[in-house]
Amino acid sequence: MWASRLERAKLAGALLGALALLGAAIFATAAEAKTLRFAFQGELKAVDPYAINESFSLSVLTATYEGLVRRGQDMRIEPCLATSWETLDPLHWRIHLRQGVKFHEGQDFTADDVIFSAKRLRSQASDLKARIPADAELVRVDDHTVDFILKSPNPLLMAEWETWGIFSRPWSEAHGASEATAINATSPSYAALHANGTGPFVLVSHEPGVKSVWKKNPGWWDTPKHNLDEVVFTPIPNNATRVAALLSGEIDWMDPVPLADQARVNANPGTEVLAGPEVRTIFLGFDQTRPELLHASVKGKNPFRDVRVRKAFYQAIDEEAIAAKVMRGLATPAALLIAPSLFSAAKDFKRFPFDPEASKGLLAEAGYPNGFEVQLNCPNDRYINDEAICQAVVGMLARVGVKIDLLAEPKSKYFARLAAAGGFDTSFYLQGWTPSTLESSNTFAYVFHCRDEKGNGAAANLGGYCNPKLDELLLAALREQDQEARDVIFKEAWQLALFDDVSYIPLHQQALAWGVSKKLQVVQRPDNYYEFAWARLD
């Protein structure tokens, strides 16, 4: 029976009303979509977290790739893709994996992915090999249980696993991504441009040096703390441009705020500087392994293999002046390569005094009364005022007869040149280090531990420093279950490495300086990790 004209009119009216409500709902949803716009001074070269052991890249990529554990807002380790773990004996760890987790492209997360990721982590191009002891064996117990069999006790086994992102084995094998991406690769691998993790955000696109875009993962296993629909990262290397973008509202979050612009950012009604202490230490390192330096006027020998030359460089550098003038007071001169807040005995150590005359005497004693010429590698978009620090070092060393050829370049080129994949192509360099374990063992394992003949092991030991006694102290410390007992051993290790051997020149711990919109709420971690999963936009 046909409906009456009146009924048809009522039905049409109801339909139009429903469509209007639906349109309004769609419009409201679109209007309420929240996009976080983040800018950094350097680029994100590859989205393969195994490519480079750099805190900026690693922290950004935790948006997509998750570890078996993570750190909470109190910086304590908490479960992530592992729900629990136990030590069946000091050499036998059992890890229980989270069930029901899916990768962004739909694959199930299982023990096979963990074992595969461990193998991938150990591949030649990986910069994260030390995340797992080289002699550790992984054994599949069942789909959601993995055993780690160690050769020596390691109470800190899981302390760095937040940034050991787990890969899908089927996805990696399907796309020829079973091995890590080399940081100096001339053509990007599939895993350098695409990602498939389990984390809170799905990578939509990645254009190195241009832009990276993530969307919220609607199938994330955890309850989100953020309220974001999208994250857009844009590298903005120019300080003035980056600050202008924040002040105009084009971006919501930037790092770092140049020291000279912090007052202006705070004076702007819609923005502020989030400042706080950072646990990263900035320091200088030397090539101490080659018989002849690659980039120096001295031929047939390596001046930096002489502790007198290393100490001469140390005493020629006025770190107090760098902290006061270059860093405008927002840096703390360091005696060690670890922040005092992370090491109980740090107060017992003092820097070698700034003493140019003593420096000249040491150089003359070592056979270089007129100094020599050497290249200094420095990033210009990684640390706060990094190139300015290097320029100050150039001037200070010139006063004792050392001529420095400064090579300052973007961090993508800098790390590709100096990393293992680039053959540790450096003679003298500026570096920064944040211990991901938030204690001494990480720094000794990565920055001091002897490299093998292939350059494996201590990936951040760019100059090849090696003292077997120091490595023995590290092993002894790791056998200790108690942190205070470990610190007693580490006190001896710090004395040996930095005062007896003068293996590096500590400079300072820089201060954090994020510029944020007042509409944005973020958590500032002392290790300068960017957690998009904790961000909320009003």
Side-chain angles (χ1 to χ4, degrees):
M1 191 175 194
W2 295 101
S4 69
R5 182 178 297 176
L6 178 60
E7 289 172 331
R8 290 199 302 271
K10 288 180 178 179
L11 181 62
L15 180 60
L16 288 172
L19 289 172
L21 288 172
L22 178 60
I26 292 172
F27 178 80
T29 300
E32 293 168 6
K34 296 185 182 296
T35 298
L36 170 62
R37 297 157 301 173
F38 173 67
F40 183 65
Q41 62 182 347
E43 70 170 299
L44 177 64
K45 187 173 181 180
V47 293
D48 182 346
Y50 298 6
I52 183 168
N53 190 18
E54 180 216 9
S55 59
F56 166 75
S57 299
L58 291 172
S59 67
V60 168
L61 294 177
T62 57
T64 298
Y65 287 105
E66 294 180 298
L68 297 180
V69 298
R70 65 188 181 189
R71 290 191 183 273
Q73 294 186 10
D74 60 1
M75 296 302 292
R76 294 187 180 185
I77 290 174
E78 62 184 32
C80 190
L81 291 181
T83 55
S84 62
W85 46 90
E86 55 192 315
T87 50
L88 303 181
D89 62 59
L91 300 179
H92 188 175
W93 289 59
R94 175 156 291 175
I95 313 298
H96 301 280
L97 306 179
R98 192 174 299 277
Q99 300 187 32
V101 175
K102 287 188 177 292
F103 287 91
H104 296 158
E105 295 190 9
Q107 300 89 349
D108 291 326
F109 163 66
T110 71
D112 291 337
D113 300 306
V114 176
I115 294 172
F116 167 80
S117 295
K119 182 179 179 181
R120 191 179 191 276
L121 193 79
R122 290 164 164 170
S123 60
Q124 183 58 39
S126 170
D127 203 34
L128 303 187
K129 294 182 181 70
R131 289 292 189 273
I132 303 173
D135 55 4
E137 179 186 1
L138 277 72
V139 178
R140 183 187 189 280
V141 178
D142 57 40
D143 276 355
H144 294 95
T145 311
V146 178
D147 283 357
F148 283 72
I149 311 300
L150 309 180
K151 293 295 189 292
S152 59
N154 187 345
L156 300 172
L157 178 67
M158 306 180 75
E160 295 183 86
W161 287 3
E162 176 184 30
T163 51
W164 172 28
I166 301 301
F167 275 66
S168 162
R169 176 180 177 178
W171 179 86
S172 301
E173 292 177 344
H175 294 292
S178 294
E179 296 199 353
T181 302
I183 190 60
N184 64 342
T186 54
S187 57
S189 67
Y190 190 86
L193 299 177
H194 305 83
N196 180 36
T198 60
F201 295 93
V202 178
L203 183 72
V204 176
S205 63
H206 173 60
E207 301 172 75
V210 181
K211 184 170 69 173
S212 303
V213 179
W214 292 265
K215 297 283 188 183
K216 178 178 66 175
N217 176 12
W220 191 35
W221 59 267
D222 201 2
T223 302
K225 292 183 175 68
H226 71 85
N227 67 343
L228 308 176
D229 297 289
E230 182 181 55
V231 177
V232 178
F233 163 65
T234 307
I236 306 179
N238 182 273
N239 286 339
T241 305
R242 197 166 63 252
V243 171
L246 178 70
L247 297 179
S248 67
E250 293 176 42
I251 59 174
D252 308 296
W253 182 3
M254 61 169 277
D255 182 37
V257 181
L259 302 176
D261 293 305
Q262 292 186 13
R264 188 156 65 103
V265 171
N266 278 325
N268 186 55
T271 60
E272 62 183 340
V273 174
L274 291 185
E278 186 179 11
V279 294
R280 175 183 284 111
T281 302
I282 306 299
F283 59 95
L284 293 164
F286 316 91
D287 176 358
Q288 299 171 59
T289 189
R290 292 183 176 92
E292 179 180 312
L293 292 177
L294 293 177
H295 309 287
S297 61
V298 179
K299 303 302 177 186
K301 58 181 176 178
N302 180 346
F304 292 140
R305 296 178 77 166
D306 189 326
V307 67
R308 294 170 297 184
V309 174
R310 301 195 296 271
K311 188 175 181 182
F313 272 53
Y314 192 135
Q315 294 202 265
I317 294 170
D318 186 354
E319 168 53 32
E320 295 289 342
I322 291 174
K325 297 177 182 178
V326 179
M327 302 300 291
R328 300 193 176 206
L330 295 177
T332 304
L336 304 177
L337 265 60
I338 190 167
S341 62
L342 303 181
F343 179 51
S344 60
K347 63 184 181 302
D348 298 332
F349 293 92
K350 304 296 180 186
R351 293 177 54 82
F352 285 122
F354 167 59
D355 190 338
E357 292 307 312
S359 174
K360 291 177 184 178
L362 286 166
L363 286 171
E365 185 181 327
Y368 307 97
N370 300 315
F372 56 91
E373 185 175 347
V374 65
Q375 179 177 281
L376 171 60
N377 294 97
C378 185
N380 58 18
D381 63 355
R382 179 61 192 96
Y383 313 115
I384 296 176
N385 285 0
D386 40 16
E387 186 173 0
I389 294 167
C390 290
Q391 289 170 344
V393 168
V394 170
M396 292 169 182
L397 287 170
R399 294 173 193 153
V400 298
V402 175
K403 183 179 186 301
I404 296 293
D405 300 316
L406 177 58
L407 177 58
E409 54 190 346
K411 70 185 183 73
S412 57
K413 293 183 178 179
Y414 169 87
F415 286 121
R417 185 189 305 277
L418 272 64
F424 302 108
D425 183 9
T426 185
S427 296
F428 184 39
Y429 56 92
L430 181 84
Q431 191 177 7
W433 191 257
T434 302
S436 55
T437 57
L438 301 181
E439 50 77 63
S440 295
S441 70
N442 169 269
T443 308
F444 282 111
Y446 282 89
V447 182
F448 292 91
H449 199 286
C450 296
R451 298 194 320 236
D452 67 18
E453 66 280 0
K454 295 181 180 178
N456 295 324
N461 183 358
L462 308 180
Y465 165 74
C466 181
N467 186 327
K469 183 178 178 182
L470 192 69
D471 292 353
E472 290 172 7
L473 288 172
L474 173 60
L475 287 175
L478 290 177
R479 294 187 189 104
E480 282 289 347
Q481 300 296 313
D482 180 69
Q483 183 63 56
E484 290 186 7
R486 284 198 295 273
D487 278 353
V488 171
I489 299 172
F490 284 135
K491 184 174 182 179
E492 181 182 354
W494 284 118
Q495 174 65 41
L496 172 61
L498 291 182
F499 295 89
D500 298 345
D501 288 352
V502 196
S503 55
Y504 294 95
I505 302 175
L507 294 178
H508 55 253
Q509 281 92 36
Q510 62 188 24
L512 291 171
W514 295 354
V516 297
S517 164
K518 289 184 178 178
K519 295 180 180 179
L520 176 66
Q521 302 168 44
V522 292
V523 176
Q524 190 174 60
R525 288 175 49 158
D527 55 3
N528 204 24
Y529 271 46
Y530 314 103
E531 289 287 352
F532 301 146
W534 297 343
R536 298 188 66 84
L537 269 171
D538 294 337

